[in-house]
Amino acid sequence: MSATASAGGKGKLLSDTLAAAKAEGRSALIAYLPAGFPTIDGGIEAVKAAFDGGADVVEVGLPHSDPVLDGPVIQTADDIALRGGVRIADVLRTVREAFEATGKPVLVMTYWNPIDRYGVERFTAELAAAGGAGCILPDLPVEESEAWRKAAERHGLATVFVVAPSSRDERLAKITAVGSGFVYAASLMGVTGTRESVGLEAQDLVGRTRATTELPVCVGLGVSNREQAAVVAGFADGVIVGSAFVKRLLDAPDLAAGLAGVRELAGELAQGVRRRA
């Protein structure tokens, strides 16, 4: 599939959603929440709350025992989910119930090992059947991605790859040539987590990535408030927020308060992406 093509199926819903945000003169708000956290049912409600607050897209994390790219907040949530017994079936249920409730694009973000063990064809078929829009695969090298991409394309799923400030221009071109949906631009080197500011590296990376593709370029890692969202929205097609949402749930005294916090944060960030600093 070419970089300029939209994935079919629910992958097309993702592309259409990002295009609609652009037509409104704003960036899209993309939230991340791990499945199974704080419980399986609670995680489903958290995804719905993010959409209710104003998220355009939600990434559902597949908890992993060795989340090497995730910071301490998401690692803590993953640990809680895994100790609670979350399985891939629960991740797919989260996608299904969130999509059925909202009709909005839901992605899965996962490391490669769980999919490899589960089976590529099985996972793509079940994700598509659940209404999933696609997958973000941060540790799958493009050189080893052909089997995944062919299965994803058959089922109308987007394949989102991650680029980093360290990526050379020729590497960016190689990655964006085979991705679909959007490009996930990691705003800085390191793991996920909230930060005081989002550096100029992110803006440079977006510019270099756009030179290689017509796909939307969405920025994640470090955004935690309305002001940061407005800054990133000034140069990116989408603003991705994860740890700040997870922290609202971690810090809450109970699920109801956590869901209210997720909804409130989504509302604040939605205002930020519309301000475009």
Side-chain angles (χ1 to χ4, degrees), residues 154-233:
R154 280 196 301 274
H155 293 288
L157 300 172
T159 298
V160 178
F161 290 111
V162 179
V163 298
S166 60
S167 303
R168 295 175 181 265
D169 291 350
E170 56 268 29
R171 182 66 180 169
L172 291 175
K174 191 170 188 177
I175 293 170
T176 59
V178 296
S180 57
F182 64 91
V183 182
Y184 187 128
S187 67
L188 37 75
M189 301 302 292
V191 298
T192 59
T194 62
R195 290 173 172 81
E196 293 301 315
S197 63
V198 180
L200 292 175
E201 283 184 322
Q203 189 166 357
D204 176 69
L205 177 59
V206 169
R208 291 194 298 119
T209 304
R210 280 187 174 147
T212 71
T213 183
E214 295 179 13
L215 288 172
V217 183
C218 303
V219 170
L221 303 194
V223 176
S224 61
N225 58 47
R226 181 185 313 168
E227 289 70 29
Q228 291 173 345
V231 170
V232 175

Side-chain angles (χ1 to χ4, degrees), residues 106-162:
V106 185
L107 296 155
V108 168
M109 186 166 188
T110 179
Y111 295 96
W112 179 244
N113 182 255
I115 293 179
D116 193 35
R117 293 177 62 185
Y118 195 76
V120 171
E121 179 58 33
R122 179 185 178 193
F123 185 85
T124 52
E126 292 181 8
L127 179 57
C135 228
I136 302 169
L137 300 160
D139 65 339
L140 177 64
V142 292
E143 294 84 358
E144 300 171 21
S145 68
E146 185 177 7
W148 162 268
R149 288 186 286 110
K150 286 184 174 179
E153 188 170 358
R154 280 196 301 274
H155 293 288
L157 300 172
T159 298
V160 178
F161 290 111
V162 179

